[in-house]
Amino acid sequence: MAESAEADSEADMDSDYEPPPWKSYLYQLQQQAPQPRRIVCTMEVENRPKYYGREFHGMISREETDALLGDVEGSYLIRESQRQPGSYTLAIRFGGTTKNFRLYYDGKHFVADKRFDTIQNLVADGLITMYIETKAEEYIKQMTGEPIYESCGYMSLRRRNTTTTRVVTTFSRTVTTATIDEVDNFSSISSSTSQSSDNSSLDLALSPSKRASTQASSYEKPHNFKVHTYRGPHWCEYCANFMWGLVAQGVKCADCGLNTHKQCSKVVPNDCQPHMKYIKKVYGIDLTTIVKAHNTTRPVVVDNCVQEIERRKDGLLSEGLYRVSGFNDDIEEVKLSFDKDGAHADISESAYEDINTIAGALKLYFRMLPIPLITFDVYPKFIEAAKIADDKDCLRKIHETLDDLPPAHYQTLTYLMAHLHRVAKCDKFNLMTAENLGMVWGPTLMRLADTNSLAGLTDLKFQRRAVELMIKFQDALFN
């Protein structure tokens, strides 16, 4: 019934979708722009750079340049500067005047940010840009004021993915609960734990967390826009206007594929819905990006590795768990498997008998995050909290700081600390106390943005203490 309702919902969304009214005004202007007309030098010019052709006229004056270009719109030539020999100027006739641009070459030709294989294409793109920006200056300024963003195909897909997310995250919670119930079977084994892993040793009286349980679909994520060259006509998916020019006409989100003008990208909401066809891997990808792409509350690597360790008969009892290294080749194999197969990666005991391989793959995932689990912005607050000598005051500060983490990071940290707490409860067998786990996981979960800074070395003991206390008092901190 749930699947049927979901299908009906998707069908309704598809039937409601109408293509936005793409606007053709700027496209028509591009068609009307002057065409480039090369002014050929009829004489042999000494020391002509090998990357210029017969449009190069050597060292001539501005007056000679004007005479050669005449009154033909779009005519152009290249000359060597008389004031700065060895530098070159591209002269283009536009709007009844000569426009002069300093010309550069680094394997491609350019006068600004855009790079071109040929001078002809550079001039053609420049003429289009100057013509459109002259004829439609006011129109361009007002483009972002009438967005069609809510009705474009991207938003229709995003709403569909949001519906799917509710089903996937519910399933994920069910699996996690079952796994935790399995681990509770160790209660008789771990009853004689050290006092260091008992939350009752301190009366913290912490206030409830401000953070509600968050669906992955509601995680805020900015778009990852990159300058993009489109082959053939393309329209902006924010304002519905044509994206003019021959190269680098706009920007494309590297995570979800949204296409917009550069100026429109500045006002697009932070609602990126990443897709695996653009991301193509799991390790080394921003944490919020990957959970939104997979429609899960936490990264699949974290869920699957934790569940596999806790599922195995002696998983939590393995001596030196997370301290003992697995074989690098096997860990790399697990990484490639997640990158290729995602949640379907086979990390079962029949595939990898050594549990340290799974533990190593989990640690590697966190080490490879471009933004660590304890984000760069929040890192200084964690260190300052860890410097507070009194445990109660230190924990209160950590508790406050946790609310500053992005939702995906908070959910993942909550899940990981609960797992490590269960590991520490078995320290009689695995010898991994909360203190030992803090030493292993501290530098893995947090680091300075500047990896060359000496401050990172002095922070090590505070990184360890912060993680140790989060493990010991995870139930109170992540209530």
Side-chain angles (χ1 to χ4, degrees):
M1 291 292 291
E3 290 182 4
S4 176
E6 181 188 351
D8 291 343
S9 177
E10 287 192 22
D12 290 342
M13 285 188 285
D14 287 340
S15 62
D16 292 343
Y17 171 67
E18 295 181 5
W22 303 116
K23 302 169 187 176
S24 61
Y25 175 54
L26 297 180
Y27 176 74
Q28 293 169 356
L29 286 182
Q30 174 160 313
Q31 299 301 102
Q32 299 166 12
Q35 296 297 308
R37 180 175 178 272
R38 184 173 71 153
I39 304 300
V40 174
C41 182
T42 57
M43 301 181 297
E44 279 300 322
V45 180
E46 293 184 2
N47 301 321
R48 176 194 292 140
K50 62 182 180 180
Y51 38 83
Y52 296 140
R54 298 300 296 274
E55 70 275 2
F56 182 74
H57 288 252
M59 192 176 288
I60 60 175
S61 66
R62 286 177 177 252
E63 291 73 22
E64 291 174 292
T65 299
D66 289 340
L68 288 167
L69 293 176
D71 294 326
V72 180
E73 289 285 284
S75 58
Y76 72 93
L77 59 80
I78 298 172
R79 64 182 176 86
E80 185 173 3
S81 173
Q82 291 180 323
R83 294 180 180 178
Q84 293 181 298
S87 62
Y88 305 98
T89 299
L90 173 63
I92 305 175
R93 193 72 177 175
F94 178 80
T97 62
T98 299
K99 308 288 186 182
N100 293 285
F101 303 91
R102 178 66 62 87
L103 187 60
Y104 302 92
Y105 181 80
D106 64 355
K108 289 185 181 292
H109 304 280
F110 63 100
V111 296
D113 294 333
K114 294 184 178 183
R115 259 74 170 166
F116 299 84
D117 292 325
T118 67
I119 294 294
Q120 182 85 355
N121 284 347
L122 188 157
V123 174
D125 186 87
L127 288 169
I128 290 169
T129 300
M130 288 189 290
Y131 187 78
I132 288 179
E133 290 181 351
T134 300
K135 295 288 186 180
E137 182 179 5
E138 288 302 316
Y139 184 89
I140 291 171
K141 287 179 181 178
Q142 298 171 14
M143 283 193 314
T144 58
E146 299 180 0
I148 52 89
Y149 186 62
E150 289 296 326
S151 61
C152 76
Y154 172 78
M155 287 301 291
S156 178
L157 174 65
R158 185 172 183 274
R159 283 190 289 269
R160 184 183 309 153
N161 286 345
T162 298
T163 303
T164 308
T165 299
R166 286 193 288 271
V167 177
V168 175
T169 50
T170 302
F171 172 76
S172 176
R173 262 193 215 101
T174 303
V175 173
T176 303
T177 303
T179 306
I180 293 172
D181 288 342
E182 290 175 12
V183 175
D184 286 341
N185 292 333
F186 285 108
S187 59
S188 60
I189 299 175
S190 58
S191 59
S192 56
T193 57
S194 61
Q195 290 185 352
S196 62
S197 60
D198 183 4
N199 286 346
S200 63
S201 59
L202 283 178
D203 182 16
L204 298 175
L206 295 175
S207 59
S209 174
K210 303 173 188 176
R211 192 183 299 275
S213 179
T214 310
Q215 296 279 357
S217 59
S218 66
Y219 292 171
E220 183 177 278
K221 179 191 168 348
H223 289 272
N224 182 19
F225 286 116
K226 308 286 185 185
V227 174
H228 190 76
T229 293
Y230 299 92
R231 305 301 178 191
H234 246 77
W235 274 256
C236 174
E237 293 173 312
Y238 182 80
C239 72
N241 280 289
F242 179 67
M243 299 164 76
W244 64 88
L246 299 184
V247 302
Q249 302 97 322
V251 293
K252 184 185 186 84
C253 178
D255 296 336
C256 73
L258 181 69
N259 304 292
T260 73
H261 292 106
K262 186 175 181 180
Q263 59 266 46
C264 289
S265 70
K266 298 174 183 177
V267 293
V268 171
N270 293 337
D271 59 357
C272 177
Q273 180 61 52
H275 196 285
M276 288 308 297
K277 85 173 182 179
Y278 298 107
I279 299 169
K280 298 180 180 178
K281 61 178 182 177
V282 173
Y283 278 71
I285 299 296
D286 169 68
L287 195 149
T288 300
T289 299
I290 204 68
V291 298
K292 286 179 74 70
H294 281 140
N295 288 328
T296 55
T297 306
R298 297 170 298 274
V300 295
V301 175
V302 178
D303 274 11
N304 287 21
C305 287
V306 167
Q307 290 167 17
E308 180 61 29
I309 289 170
E310 298 189 357
R311 184 181 294 118
R312 295 192 185 185
K313 181 180 179 182
D314 296 324
L316 292 177
L317 308 182
S318 178
E319 185 174 331
L321 184 61
Y322 292 118
R323 178 179 57 79
V324 176
S325 300
F327 288 110
N328 287 336
D329 289 349
D330 289 344
I331 292 172
E332 181 65 19
E333 202 174 272
V334 171
K335 170 185 170 294
L336 294 175
S337 182
F338 274 115
D339 283 339
K340 179 184 176 183
D341 301 323
H344 301 292
D346 182 9
I347 58 171
S348 63
E349 193 165 4
S350 60
Y352 300 98
E353 184 177 354
D354 184 3
I355 199 169
N356 297 308
T357 297
I358 311 305
L362 180 59
K363 289 191 296 180
L364 178 64
Y365 175 78
F366 285 108
R367 285 200 300 271
M368 289 186 65
L369 286 175
I371 300 175
L373 188 58
I374 305 298
T375 61
F376 295 127
D377 291 342
V378 178
Y379 175 82
K381 298 178 182 179
F382 267 89
I383 296 302
E384 288 305 311
K387 290 179 179 179
I388 300 173
D390 182 77
D391 281 354
K392 283 187 180 180
D393 293 338
C394 174
L395 286 163
R396 289 192 183 97
K397 186 65 178 177
I398 289 176
H399 185 255
E400 292 173 11
T401 305
L402 287 170
D403 278 328
D404 294 332
L405 286 171
H409 289 246
Y410 178 85
Q411 296 291 341
T412 304
L413 183 64
T414 300
Y415 185 75
L416 180 64
M417 289 301 111
H419 164 65
L420 294 180
H421 181 76
R422 293 190 288 273
V423 173
K425 285 178 71 176
C426 299
D427 61 355
K428 180 179 178 181
F429 300 91
N430 60 35
L431 307 182
M432 295 303 293
T433 62
E435 182 180 2
N436 290 339
L437 289 168
M439 294 176 66
V440 172
W441 281 96
T444 302
L445 301 182
M446 61 181 85
R447 64 179 184 272
L448 284 169
D450 181 7
T451 55
N452 295 321
S453 173
L454 292 176
L457 294 175
T458 59
D459 287 350
L460 277 175
K461 63 181 180 180
F462 303 115
Q463 294 173 0
R464 295 167 180 170
R465 182 167 187 247
V467 173
E468 177 189 349
L469 291 175
M470 284 192 289
I471 293 170
K472 284 182 179 178
F473 301 98
Q474 62 85 27
D475 188 51
L477 287 170
F478 299 95
N479 54 16

Coordinates of all heavy atoms in Angstrom, one line a residue, residues 290-362:
I290 N 26.5 13.6 0.3 CA 26.3 12.1 0.0 C 25.1 11.6 0.7 O 24.4 10.7 0.1 CB 27.6 11.3 0.5 CG1 27.7 10.0 -0.2 CG2 27.6 11.1 2.0 CD1 28.0 10.1 -1.6
V291 N 24.7 12.1 1.9 CA 23.4 11.6 2.5 C 22.2 12.1 1.7 O 21.2 11.4 1.6 CB 23.3 12.0 4.0 CG1 24.4 11.4 4.8 CG2 23.2 13.5 4.2
K292 N 22.3 13.3 1.1 CA 21.2 13.8 0.3 C 21.1 13.0 -1.0 O 20.0 12.7 -1.6 CB 21.3 15.3 0.0 CG 20.9 16.1 1.3 CD 21.1 17.6 1.0 CE 20.0 18.1 0.1 NZ 18.7 18.2 0.8
A293 N 22.3 12.6 -1.6 CA 22.3 11.9 -2.8 C 21.7 10.5 -2.6 O 21.0 9.9 -3.5 CB 23.7 11.8 -3.4
H294 N 22.0 9.9 -1.5 CA 21.5 8.5 -1.2 C 20.2 8.5 -0.5 O 19.6 7.5 -0.2 CB 22.5 7.8 -0.3 CG 23.7 7.2 -1.0 ND1 25.0 7.3 -0.5 CD2 23.8 6.7 -2.3 CE1 25.8 6.7 -1.4 NE2 25.1 6.3 -2.5
N295 N 19.7 9.7 -0.1 CA 18.4 9.8 0.6 C 18.4 9.0 1.9 O 17.5 8.2 2.2 CB 17.2 9.4 -0.2 CG 16.9 10.4 -1.3 OD1 17.1 11.6 -1.1 ND2 16.4 9.9 -2.4
T296 N 19.5 9.2 2.7 CA 19.6 8.5 4.0 C 19.9 9.5 5.1 O 20.4 10.7 4.8 CB 20.8 7.5 3.9 OG1 22.0 8.2 3.5 CG2 20.5 6.4 3.0
T297 N 19.7 9.2 6.3 CA 20.0 10.1 7.4 C 21.5 10.2 7.6 O 21.9 11.3 8.0 CB 19.3 9.5 8.7 OG1 17.9 9.3 8.5 CG2 19.5 10.5 9.9
R298 N 22.2 9.1 7.4 CA 23.7 9.1 7.6 C 24.3 8.5 6.4 O 23.7 7.8 5.6 CB 24.0 8.3 8.9 CG 23.5 8.9 10.2 CD 23.7 7.9 11.3 NE 23.0 6.7 11.1 CZ 21.7 6.5 11.4 NH1 21.0 7.4 12.0 NH2 21.1 5.3 11.1
P299 N 25.6 8.7 6.2 CA 26.3 8.0 5.1 C 26.2 6.5 5.2 O 26.3 5.9 6.3 CB 27.8 8.4 5.3 CG 27.7 9.7 6.1 CD 26.5 9.5 7.0
V300 N 26.0 5.8 4.0 CA 25.8 4.4 4.0 C 27.1 3.7 4.5 O 27.0 2.6 5.1 CB 25.5 3.9 2.6 CG1 24.2 4.4 2.1 CG2 26.6 4.3 1.6
V301 N 28.3 4.3 4.3 CA 29.5 3.6 4.9 C 29.4 3.5 6.4 O 29.8 2.5 6.9 CB 30.7 4.5 4.5 CG1 32.0 3.9 5.1 CG2 30.9 4.5 3.0
V302 N 28.9 4.6 7.0 CA 28.9 4.6 8.5 C 27.9 3.5 9.0 O 28.2 2.7 9.8 CB 28.5 6.0 9.0 CG1 28.4 6.0 10.5 CG2 29.5 7.0 8.6
D303 N 26.7 3.6 8.4 CA 25.6 2.6 8.8 C 26.1 1.2 8.6 O 26.0 0.3 9.5 CB 24.3 2.9 8.0 CG 23.5 3.9 8.7 OD1 24.0 4.6 9.6 OD2 22.3 4.1 8.3
N304 N 26.6 0.9 7.4 CA 26.9 -0.5 7.0 C 28.1 -1.0 7.8 O 28.1 -2.2 8.3 CB 27.2 -0.6 5.5 CG 25.9 -0.5 4.7 OD1 24.9 0.0 5.1 ND2 26.0 -0.9 3.4
C305 N 29.1 -0.2 8.0 CA 30.3 -0.7 8.8 C 30.0 -0.9 10.2 O 30.4 -1.9 10.8 CB 31.4 0.3 8.6 SG 32.2 0.3 7.0
V306 N 29.2 0.0 10.8 CA 28.9 -0.1 12.2 C 28.0 -1.4 12.4 O 28.2 -2.2 13.3 CB 28.1 1.1 12.8 CG1 27.5 0.9 14.1 CG2 29.1 2.3 12.9
Q307 N 27.0 -1.5 11.5 CA 26.1 -2.7 11.6 C 26.9 -4.0 11.4 O 26.6 -5.0 12.1 CB 25.0 -2.5 10.6 CG 24.0 -1.4 11.0 CD 23.1 -1.1 9.8 OE1 22.9 -1.8 8.9 NE2 22.4 0.1 9.9
E308 N 27.8 -4.0 10.5 CA 28.6 -5.2 10.3 C 29.4 -5.6 11.5 O 29.5 -6.8 11.9 CB 29.5 -5.1 9.0 CG 30.3 -6.3 8.7 CD 29.5 -7.5 8.4 OE1 28.3 -7.4 7.9 OE2 29.9 -8.6 8.6
I309 N 30.1 -4.6 12.1 CA 30.9 -4.8 13.3 C 30.1 -5.4 14.4 O 30.4 -6.3 15.1 CB 31.7 -3.6 13.7 CG1 32.8 -3.2 12.7 CG2 32.3 -3.7 15.1 CD1 33.4 -1.9 12.8
E310 N 28.9 -4.8 14.6 CA 28.1 -5.2 15.8 C 27.3 -6.5 15.5 O 26.8 -7.1 16.4 CB 27.1 -4.0 16.1 CG 27.8 -2.7 16.6 CD 26.9 -1.7 17.1 OE1 25.7 -1.9 17.1 OE2 27.4 -0.6 17.5
R311 N 27.1 -6.8 14.2 CA 26.4 -8.0 13.9 C 27.3 -9.3 14.1 O 26.8 -10.3 14.4 CB 26.0 -7.9 12.4 CG 25.2 -9.1 11.9 CD 24.8 -9.0 10.5 NE 24.0 -7.9 10.2 CZ 24.3 -6.8 9.5 NH1 25.4 -6.8 8.9 NH2 23.4 -5.8 9.3
R312 N 28.6 -9.1 14.0 CA 29.4 -10.3 14.1 C 29.5 -10.8 15.6 O 29.5 -10.0 16.5 CB 30.8 -10.0 13.6 CG 30.9 -9.7 12.1 CD 32.3 -9.6 11.6 NE 32.3 -9.2 10.2 CZ 33.4 -9.2 9.4 NH1 34.5 -9.6 9.9 NH2 33.3 -8.8 8.1
K313 N 29.6 -12.1 15.7 CA 29.6 -12.7 17.0 C 30.5 -12.1 18.1 O 30.1 -11.8 19.2 CB 29.8 -14.2 16.9 CG 29.8 -15.0 18.2 CD 30.1 -16.4 18.0 CE 30.0 -17.2 19.3 NZ 30.3 -18.6 19.2
D314 N 31.7 -11.9 17.7 CA 32.7 -11.3 18.6 C 33.2 -9.9 18.1 O 34.3 -9.5 18.5 CB 34.0 -12.2 18.7 CG 33.6 -13.6 19.3 OD1 32.7 -13.6 20.2 OD2 34.2 -14.6 18.9
G315 N 32.3 -9.2 17.4 CA 32.7 -8.0 16.8 C 33.1 -6.9 17.8 O 34.3 -6.4 17.8
L316 N 32.3 -6.7 18.8 CA 32.6 -5.7 19.8 C 33.7 -6.1 20.8 O 34.2 -5.3 21.5 CB 31.3 -5.3 20.6 CG 30.3 -4.5 19.8 CD1 29.1 -4.2 20.6 CD2 30.8 -3.2 19.2
L317 N 33.9 -7.4 20.8 CA 34.9 -8.0 21.7 C 36.3 -8.1 21.2 O 37.3 -8.4 21.9 CB 34.5 -9.4 22.2 CG 33.0 -9.5 22.7 CD1 32.8 -10.9 23.2 CD2 32.8 -8.5 23.8
S318 N 36.5 -7.7 19.9 CA 37.7 -7.9 19.2 C 38.8 -7.0 19.9 O 38.6 -5.8 20.0 CB 37.6 -7.5 17.7 OG 38.8 -7.6 17.1
E319 N 39.9 -7.6 20.3 CA 40.9 -6.9 21.0 C 41.6 -5.8 20.1 O 41.9 -6.1 19.0 CB 42.0 -7.8 21.5 CG 43.1 -7.1 22.3 CD 44.1 -8.1 22.9 OE1 43.7 -9.3 23.1 OE2 45.3 -7.7 23.1
G320 N 41.6 -4.6 20.6 CA 42.2 -3.5 19.9 C 41.4 -3.0 18.7 O 41.9 -2.4 17.8
L321 N 40.1 -3.1 18.8 CA 39.1 -2.7 17.8 C 39.3 -1.2 17.6 O 39.3 -0.4 18.5 CB 37.7 -3.0 18.2 CG 36.6 -2.6 17.2 CD1 36.8 -3.4 15.9 CD2 35.2 -2.8 17.8
Y322 N 39.6 -0.8 16.3 CA 39.9 0.6 15.9 C 41.3 1.0 16.1 O 41.7 2.0 15.6 CB 38.9 1.6 16.4 CG 37.5 1.4 15.9 CD1 36.4 1.1 16.8 CD2 37.2 1.6 14.6 CE1 35.1 0.9 16.3 CE2 35.9 1.4 14.1 CZ 34.9 1.1 14.9 OH 33.6 0.9 14.4
R323 N 42.0 0.3 17.0 CA 43.4 0.6 17.2 C 44.3 -0.2 16.3 O 45.3 0.3 15.7 CB 43.8 0.4 18.7 CG 45.3 0.7 19.0 CD 45.6 0.5 20.4 NE 45.2 -0.8 20.9 CZ 46.0 -1.9 20.7 NH1 47.1 -1.9 20.0 NH2 45.6 -3.1 21.2
V324 N 44.0 -1.5 16.1 CA 44.7 -2.4 15.3 C 44.4 -2.1 13.8 O 43.2 -2.1 13.5 CB 44.4 -3.9 15.7 CG1 45.2 -4.8 14.7 CG2 44.8 -4.1 17.1
S325 N 45.4 -2.0 13.0 CA 45.1 -1.7 11.6 C 44.8 -3.0 10.8 O 45.4 -4.0 11.1 CB 46.4 -1.0 11.0 OG 46.7 0.2 11.6
G326 N 43.9 -2.8 9.8 CA 43.7 -3.9 8.9 C 44.7 -3.8 7.7 O 45.5 -2.9 7.7
F327 N 44.6 -4.7 6.8 CA 45.5 -4.7 5.6 C 45.1 -3.6 4.7 O 43.9 -3.5 4.3 CB 45.5 -6.0 4.9 CG 46.2 -7.2 5.6 CD1 45.4 -8.2 6.2 CD2 47.5 -7.1 5.8 CE1 46.1 -9.2 6.9 CE2 48.2 -8.2 6.5 CZ 47.5 -9.2 7.0
N328 N 46.0 -2.7 4.3 CA 45.7 -1.6 3.5 C 45.0 -2.0 2.2 O 44.1 -1.3 1.7 CB 47.0 -0.8 3.1 CG 47.5 0.0 4.4 OD1 46.7 0.3 5.2 ND2 48.8 0.3 4.4
D329 N 45.5 -3.1 1.5 CA 44.9 -3.5 0.3 C 43.4 -3.9 0.4 O 42.6 -3.6 -0.4 CB 45.7 -4.7 -0.3 CG 47.0 -4.3 -0.8 OD1 47.3 -3.1 -0.9 OD2 47.8 -5.2 -1.1
D330 N 43.1 -4.5 1.6 CA 41.7 -4.9 1.8 C 40.8 -3.7 2.1 O 39.7 -3.6 1.7 CB 41.6 -5.9 3.0 CG 42.2 -7.3 2.6 OD1 42.4 -7.6 1.4 OD2 42.5 -8.1 3.6
I331 N 41.4 -2.8 2.9 CA 40.7 -1.5 3.2 C 40.4 -0.8 1.9 O 39.3 -0.2 1.7 CB 41.4 -0.7 4.2 CG1 41.5 -1.4 5.5 CG2 40.8 0.7 4.3 CD1 42.4 -0.7 6.5
E332 N 41.4 -0.7 1.0 CA 41.2 0.0 -0.3 C 40.1 -0.7 -1.1 O 39.3 -0.1 -1.8 CB 42.5 0.0 -1.0 CG 42.5 0.8 -2.4 CD 42.1 2.2 -2.3 OE1 42.3 2.8 -1.2 OE2 41.7 2.8 -3.3
E333 N 40.1 -2.0 -1.0 CA 39.1 -2.8 -1.8 C 37.7 -2.5 -1.3 O 36.7 -2.4 -2.1 CB 39.4 -4.3 -1.6 CG 38.8 -5.2 -2.6 CD 39.3 -6.6 -2.5 OE1 40.4 -7.0 -3.0 OE2 38.6 -7.4 -1.8
V334 N 37.5 -2.4 0.1 CA 36.2 -2.0 0.6 C 35.8 -0.6 0.2 O 34.7 -0.4 -0.2 CB 36.3 -2.1 2.2 CG1 35.0 -1.5 2.8 CG2 36.5 -3.5 2.7
K335 N 36.8 0.3 0.2 CA 36.5 1.7 -0.3 C 36.0 1.7 -1.7 O 35.0 2.3 -2.0 CB 37.8 2.5 -0.2 CG 37.7 3.9 -0.9 CD 39.0 4.6 -0.8 CE 39.1 5.8 -1.7 NZ 38.9 5.5 -3.1
L336 N 36.7 1.0 -2.6 CA 36.3 0.9 -4.0 C 34.9 0.3 -4.2 O 34.1 0.6 -5.0 CB 37.3 0.1 -4.8 CG 38.7 0.8 -4.9 CD1 39.7 -0.1 -5.7 CD2 38.6 2.2 -5.7
S337 N 34.6 -0.7 -3.3 CA 33.3 -1.4 -3.3 C 32.2 -0.4 -3.0 O 31.1 -0.4 -3.6 CB 33.3 -2.6 -2.4 OG 32.1 -3.3 -2.4
F338 N 32.4 0.4 -1.9 CA 31.4 1.4 -1.6 C 31.2 2.5 -2.7 O 30.1 2.9 -3.0 CB 31.8 2.1 -0.3 CG 31.3 1.4 1.0 CD1 32.2 0.8 1.9 CD2 29.9 1.2 1.2 CE1 31.7 0.1 3.0 CE2 29.5 0.5 2.3 CZ 30.4 0.0 3.2
D339 N 32.4 2.9 -3.3 CA 32.3 3.8 -4.3 C 31.5 3.3 -5.5 O 30.8 4.1 -6.2 CB 33.7 4.2 -4.8 CG 34.4 5.2 -3.9 OD1 33.7 5.9 -3.1 OD2 35.7 5.3 -3.9
K340 N 31.6 2.1 -5.8 CA 31.0 1.5 -6.9 C 29.5 1.1 -6.6 O 28.6 1.3 -7.4 CB 31.8 0.2 -7.4 CG 31.1 -0.5 -8.6 CD 31.9 -1.8 -9.0 CE 31.2 -2.5 -10.1 NZ 31.9 -3.8 -10.4
D341 N 29.3 0.4 -5.5 CA 28.0 -0.2 -5.2 C 27.2 0.5 -4.1 O 26.1 0.1 -3.9 CB 28.2 -1.7 -4.8 CG 28.9 -2.5 -5.9 OD1 28.6 -2.2 -7.1 OD2 29.7 -3.3 -5.6
G342 N 27.8 1.5 -3.4 CA 27.0 2.2 -2.4 C 26.6 1.2 -1.3 O 27.3 0.4 -0.8
A343 N 25.3 1.3 -1.0 CA 24.7 0.5 0.1 C 24.8 -1.0 -0.1 O 24.6 -1.8 0.8 CB 23.3 1.0 0.4
H344 N 25.0 -1.4 -1.4 CA 25.0 -2.8 -1.7 C 26.4 -3.4 -1.7 O 26.6 -4.6 -2.1 CB 24.4 -3.0 -3.1 CG 23.0 -2.5 -3.3 ND1 21.9 -3.1 -2.7 CD2 22.5 -1.4 -4.0 CE1 20.8 -2.4 -2.9 NE2 21.1 -1.4 -3.7
A345 N 27.4 -2.6 -1.2 CA 28.7 -3.2 -1.1 C 28.7 -4.4 -0.1 O 28.1 -4.3 0.9 CB 29.7 -2.1 -0.6
D346 N 29.4 -5.4 -0.5 CA 29.5 -6.6 0.3 C 30.7 -6.5 1.2 O 31.8 -6.7 0.8 CB 29.7 -7.9 -0.6 CG 29.7 -9.2 0.2 OD1 29.4 -9.1 1.4 OD2 30.0 -10.2 -0.4
I347 N 30.4 -6.3 2.5 CA 31.5 -6.3 3.5 C 31.2 -7.4 4.6 O 31.6 -7.2 5.7 CB 31.6 -4.9 4.2 CG1 30.2 -4.5 4.8 CG2 32.0 -3.8 3.2 CD1 30.3 -3.2 5.7
S348 N 30.5 -8.4 4.2 CA 30.2 -9.5 5.1 C 31.4 -10.2 5.5 O 32.5 -10.1 5.0 CB 29.2 -10.5 4.4 OG 29.8 -11.1 3.3
E349 N 31.3 -11.1 6.5 CA 32.4 -11.8 7.1 C 32.9 -12.8 6.1 O 34.1 -13.1 6.1 CB 31.9 -12.6 8.3 CG 33.1 -13.2 9.1 CD 32.6 -13.6 10.5 OE1 31.4 -13.5 10.8 OE2 33.5 -14.0 11.3
S350 N 32.1 -13.3 5.2 CA 32.6 -14.2 4.1 C 33.5 -13.5 3.1 O 34.3 -14.1 2.5 CB 31.4 -14.8 3.4 OG 30.6 -13.8 2.8
A351 N 33.3 -12.2 3.0 CA 34.1 -11.4 2.0 C 35.3 -10.9 2.7 O 36.4 -10.9 2.1 CB 33.3 -10.2 1.5
Y352 N 35.2 -10.4 4.0 CA 36.3 -9.9 4.7 C 36.3 -10.4 6.2 O 35.6 -9.9 7.0 CB 36.3 -8.3 4.8 CG 36.3 -7.7 3.4 CD1 35.2 -7.3 2.7 CD2 37.5 -7.6 2.7 CE1 35.2 -6.8 1.5 CE2 37.6 -7.0 1.4 CZ 36.4 -6.7 0.8 OH 36.4 -6.1 -0.5
E353 N 37.1 -11.4 6.4 CA 37.0 -12.1 7.7 C 37.6 -11.3 8.8 O 37.1 -11.3 9.9 CB 37.8 -13.4 7.6 CG 37.7 -14.3 8.9 CD 38.5 -15.6 8.7 OE1 38.9 -15.9 7.6 OE2 38.6 -16.3 9.8
D354 N 38.6 -10.5 8.5 CA 39.3 -9.6 9.5 C 38.4 -8.4 9.8 O 38.2 -7.5 8.9 CB 40.7 -9.2 9.0 CG 41.4 -8.4 10.0 OD1 40.9 -8.2 11.2 OD2 42.6 -7.9 9.7
I355 N 37.9 -8.3 11.0 CA 37.1 -7.2 11.4 C 37.8 -5.9 11.3 O 37.2 -4.8 11.1 CB 36.5 -7.4 12.8 CG1 35.2 -6.6 12.9 CG2 37.5 -7.2 13.9 CD1 34.4 -6.9 14.1
N356 N 39.1 -5.9 11.4 CA 39.9 -4.7 11.4 C 39.9 -4.0 10.0 O 40.1 -2.8 9.9 CB 41.4 -4.9 11.8 CG 41.4 -5.4 13.3 OD1 40.9 -4.8 14.2 ND2 42.1 -6.5 13.5
T357 N 39.6 -4.8 9.0 CA 39.4 -4.3 7.7 C 38.2 -3.3 7.6 O 38.2 -2.2 7.1 CB 39.2 -5.4 6.6 OG1 40.4 -6.2 6.6 CG2 39.0 -4.8 5.2
I358 N 37.1 -3.8 8.2 CA 35.9 -3.0 8.3 C 36.1 -1.8 9.1 O 35.6 -0.7 8.7 CB 34.7 -3.8 8.8 CG1 34.6 -5.2 8.1 CG2 33.4 -3.1 8.7 CD1 34.5 -5.1 6.6
A359 N 36.7 -1.9 10.3 CA 37.0 -0.8 11.2 C 37.9 0.2 10.5 O 37.7 1.4 10.6 CB 37.6 -1.3 12.5
G360 N 38.9 -0.3 9.7 CA 39.8 0.6 9.0 C 39.1 1.3 7.9 O 39.4 2.5 7.6
A361 N 38.2 0.7 7.2 CA 37.4 1.3 6.1 C 36.5 2.5 6.7 O 36.4 3.5 6.0 CB 36.6 0.3 5.4
L362 N 36.0 2.3 7.9 CA 35.2 3.3 8.5 C 36.0 4.5 8.9 O 35.6 5.6 8.7 CB 34.5 2.7 9.7 CG 33.6 3.7 10.5 CD1 32.5 4.2 9.6 CD2 33.0 3.0 11.8

